[in-house]
């Protein structure tokens, strides 16, 4: 997910995230990228436990890549120069750089782009669904959203449908935009209408009515200025932008600051950050002034803000950017378990 303070930019980037398109490239890079801020430093409780003597983290994989994704199944997509490949947790290439773009592995498959068309490979680097689509999302619950006839949402002819792991359409490409299946439902935009939710039988379970709609997590889905249940009812109302629930908490914006609420709509971490991402493995990336670090679910700073960009922790590692290069750090909480 990519976030910005400016409301219009957030709107645009949320649209890109929903469509599976990254700003600056044609594939979503699941990392938090935040603009510098000149706001005063918030009153944050500090408990940094993952720093060396010079106040910088110890990299498991040194910063050396131009772009990166998350680890999944022991592999992560990385870009060196103009090509993408996949590395293991030792930083060694297991699939050499050869793709124009590459996404994270999910359910054993990863999206790749060759000559402006996208398909899927397995973890041996073998093409299992040939590049033939204009845009693809990851596999989730056995299905992946793909677009044909242009990039959906950015082209008048673009349409999204869902394929299975054999590359066959299970849900016909009729939607203007589509998100991942999660908890049995997926957000879709009916062309000429708003967003609703379908099930895997292509039945519209929640009628189109939302300006924005995102996948369900922990029983709730983020829509414009609130959260809905699986009946489509608004159960939490908020005044501004929201992230999905993860590990019981969700980042929401109040004024120009971000904090975290629980499912009772109570702020458990006060709105004090310039931007905030989802929790994963007990930590969430937040921006404090111009740098990004990580907090725990009590709001303590666990990794000192020092990065230009940062992603979620997956499989014990998180991608972070220092200077113009990306590397990976380990989750310090695992050292205390």
């Amino acid at each position: 997910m990519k976030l910005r303070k400016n409301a219009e930019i957030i709107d645009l980037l949320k649209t890109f995230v929903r469509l599976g398109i990254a700003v600056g490239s044609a594939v979503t890079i699941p990392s938090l990228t935040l603009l510098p801020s000149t706001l005063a430093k918030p009153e944050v409780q500090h408990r940094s436990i993952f720093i060396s003597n010079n106040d910088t983290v110890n990299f498991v994989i040194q910063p050396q890549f131009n772009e990166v994704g998350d680890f999944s199944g022991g592999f992560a997509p990385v870009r060196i120069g103009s090509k993408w490949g996949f590395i293991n947790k030792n930083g060694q290439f297991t699939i050499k750089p050869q793709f124009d773009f590459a996404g994270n592995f999910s359910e054993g498959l990863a999206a790749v782009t060759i000559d402006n068309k996208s398909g899927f490979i397995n973890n041996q680097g073998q093409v299992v669904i040939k590049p033939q689509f204009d845009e693809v999302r990851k596999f989730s619950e056995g299905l992946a959203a793909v677009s044909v006839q242009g990039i959906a949402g950015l082209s008048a002819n673009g349409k999204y449908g869902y394929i299975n792991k054999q590359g066959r359409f299970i849900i016909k490409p009729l939607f203007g935009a589509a998100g991942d299946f999660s908890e049995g439902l997926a957000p879709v935009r009916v062309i000429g209408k708003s967003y609703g939710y379908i099930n895997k039988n292509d039945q519209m379970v929640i009628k189109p009515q939302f300006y924005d709609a995102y996948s369900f997590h922990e029983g709730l889905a983020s829509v414009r200025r609130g959260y809905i249940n699986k009946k489509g009812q608004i159960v939490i109302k908020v005044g501004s932008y929201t992230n999905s629930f993860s590990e019981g908490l969700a980042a929401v914006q109040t004024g120009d600051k971000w904090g975290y609420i629980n499912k009772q709509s109570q702020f458990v971490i006060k709105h004090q950050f310039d931007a905030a991402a989802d929790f994963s493995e007990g930590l969430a990336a937040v921006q404090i002034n111009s740098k990004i670090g990580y907090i725990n679910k009590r709001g303590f700073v666990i990794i000192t803000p020092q990065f230009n960009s940062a992603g979620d922790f997956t499989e014990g590692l998180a991608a972070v950017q220092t200077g113009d290069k990306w590397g990976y750090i380990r989750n310090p909480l695992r050292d205390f378990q």
Side-chain angles (χ1 to χ4, degrees), residues 236-287:
I236 298 176
K237 292 183 179 180
V238 296
S240 190
Y241 297 98
T242 61
N243 287 357
S244 297
F245 271 92
S246 60
E247 301 185 5
L249 301 179
V252 301
Q253 186 186 38
T254 299
D256 61 356
K257 294 293 185 180
W258 289 75
Y260 291 85
I261 62 170
N262 59 21
K263 292 182 180 179
Q264 289 71 50
S265 193
Q266 302 166 323
F267 270 98
V268 296
I269 301 175
K270 62 179 288 188
H271 45 282
Q272 57 192 297
F273 305 109
D274 298 324
D278 298 339
F279 274 94
S280 60
E281 299 186 1
L283 297 174
V286 296
Q287 179 184 345

Side-chain angles (χ1 to χ4, degrees), residues 13-242:
L13 289 174
K14 278 196 168 188
T15 299
F16 286 155
V17 168
R18 182 174 56 237
L19 298 178
I21 304 166
V23 175
S25 74
V27 64
T28 298
I29 307 302
S31 58
L32 176 67
T33 304
L34 303 169
L35 291 178
S37 169
T38 57
L39 299 177
K41 188 173 182 178
E43 297 178 0
V44 182
Q45 300 183 46
H46 286 263
R47 186 175 292 173
S48 298
I49 60 176
F50 189 45
I51 57 176
S52 61
N53 291 333
N54 61 357
D55 199 40
T56 58
V57 299
N58 298 311
F59 280 88
V60 175
I61 300 174
Q62 289 295 319
Q64 58 191 288
F65 306 109
N66 299 109
E67 287 184 87
V68 298
D70 293 333
F71 272 95
S72 178
F75 305 99
V78 300
R79 178 173 68 85
I80 289 184
S82 62
K83 296 296 182 181
W84 289 78
F86 290 83
I87 60 170
N88 60 22
K89 291 185 178 181
N90 294 320
Q92 301 167 327
F93 275 100
T94 57
I95 302 174
K96 67 179 182 179
Q98 58 190 285
F99 307 108
D100 297 329
F101 299 103
N104 301 327
F105 274 99
S106 178
E107 300 185 358
L109 298 179
V112 296
T113 301
I114 301 173
D115 295 332
N116 296 319
K117 292 294 182 180
S118 297
F120 292 87
I121 62 170
N122 61 21
N123 58 19
Q124 302 299 311
Q126 300 166 327
V127 174
V128 295
I129 300 176
K130 71 176 183 179
Q132 59 191 287
F133 306 106
D134 295 298
E135 190 68 36
V136 300
R137 294 185 63 86
K138 68 179 183 181
F139 271 94
S140 178
E141 300 186 359
L143 299 177
V146 302
S147 73
V148 294
Q149 301 176 27
I151 297 177
L154 301 182
S155 168
N157 298 318
K159 293 180 180 178
Y160 261 101
Y162 291 85
I163 60 171
N164 61 16
K165 291 184 179 180
Q166 288 70 51
R168 295 194 297 267
F169 274 102
I170 301 302
I171 298 175
K172 294 180 180 179
L174 298 174
F175 302 107
D180 298 332
F181 271 96
S182 178
E183 301 180 12
L185 300 177
V188 295
R189 180 171 61 81
V190 177
I191 294 177
K193 297 184 179 180
S194 302
Y195 282 87
Y197 289 80
I198 62 171
N199 62 20
K200 292 182 183 179
N201 295 320
D202 197 15
Q203 298 169 321
M204 191 65 69
V205 176
I206 300 175
K207 68 180 182 180
Q209 58 190 288
F210 307 107
Y211 179 82
D212 278 323
Y214 302 90
S215 298
F216 275 91
H217 295 279
E218 301 182 6
L220 299 176
S222 171
V223 297
R224 173 59 66 92
R225 291 180 168 78
Y227 295 87
I228 61 170
N229 60 20
K230 292 184 179 178
K231 295 181 179 180
Q233 302 166 326
I234 297 285
V235 293
I236 298 176
K237 292 183 179 180
V238 296
S240 190
Y241 297 98
T242 61

